[in-house]
Amino acid sequence: MYFKFTFCPIILLLWASLSFAQNVNVVIHGAASIAKTDDNFVCVTLDWWPAEKCDYNQCPWGKAGILNLDLRYGALINAIKAFNPLRIKIGGSLQDNVVYKVGEVSSCPNFMKREDGLFGFSQGCLSMERWDQLNRFFNHTG
């Protein structure tokens, strides 16, 4: 009996809220664009995952994360040049946990596994040295 009593007011509340719903028309005028992407647009994301990132006993990232990617690897350089113009985004899942070692920042920790951390990792650091390496790499590959 208690179930019927509580169930009835819930149904009445749902019905009442639906009866007050309004139809809304949305009109989009596509006469002016705010940006344009050409037909050859290709974008790639370099992610922050450390080599220790594993799921289901598989650790596919290896040394492919931003912080440990071999920027002198010829096949990578040639692949990036072949996709010209290529847009490369630095970001990914752990980007909110990145500390940038700039100015007065003295501590520059590596990403470490941490149960209570974002996606199971602690904060990690991008040093100015690595930032400079990445910039040289992007300039070299165009």
Side-chain angles (χ1 to χ4, degrees):
M1 186 59 106
Y2 177 74
F3 177 72
K4 288 181 185 178
F5 179 73
T6 57
F7 186 68
C8 230
I10 291 172
I11 289 184
L12 286 174
L13 283 173
L14 287 173
W15 176 78
S17 65
L18 288 175
S19 67
F20 293 114
Q22 299 177 18
N23 288 332
V24 178
N25 291 326
V26 177
V27 178
I28 299 172
H29 295 285
S33 64
I34 59 171
K36 186 174 181 176
T37 303
D38 66 25
D39 293 337
N40 297 320
F41 181 79
V42 179
C43 184
V44 174
T45 299
L46 294 179
D47 210 313
W48 294 100
W49 289 122
E52 298 79 22
K53 169 65 173 145
C54 303
D55 291 306
Y56 311 105
N57 295 323
Q58 300 289 317
C59 307
W61 284 95
K63 300 280 184 185
I66 293 167
L67 298 176
N68 51 27
L69 182 65
D70 182 359
L71 302 175
R72 297 166 297 171
Y73 185 54
L76 175 64
I77 292 168
N78 292 335
I80 290 173
K81 287 180 177 180
F83 278 103
N84 191 17
L86 175 68
R87 304 294 182 257
I88 298 178
K89 172 187 168 247
I90 296 179
S93 305
L94 293 177
Q95 68 190 8
D96 292 340
N97 270 14
V98 176
V99 175
Y100 296 88
K101 189 171 186 204
V102 178
E104 301 296 318
V105 176
S106 59
S107 177
C108 194
N110 291 325
F111 281 112
M112 304 287 286
K113 283 189 173 186
R114 195 168 113 189
E115 289 296 321
D116 64 337
L118 181 66
F119 298 106
F121 284 91
S122 67
Q123 287 187 329
C125 181
L126 177 63
S127 68
M128 284 303 295
E129 178 184 358
R130 184 60 172 176
W131 177 250
D132 289 340
Q133 291 170 356
L134 288 164
N135 273 305
R136 282 192 297 275
F137 175 75
F138 296 143
N139 286 323
H140 174 69
T141 58

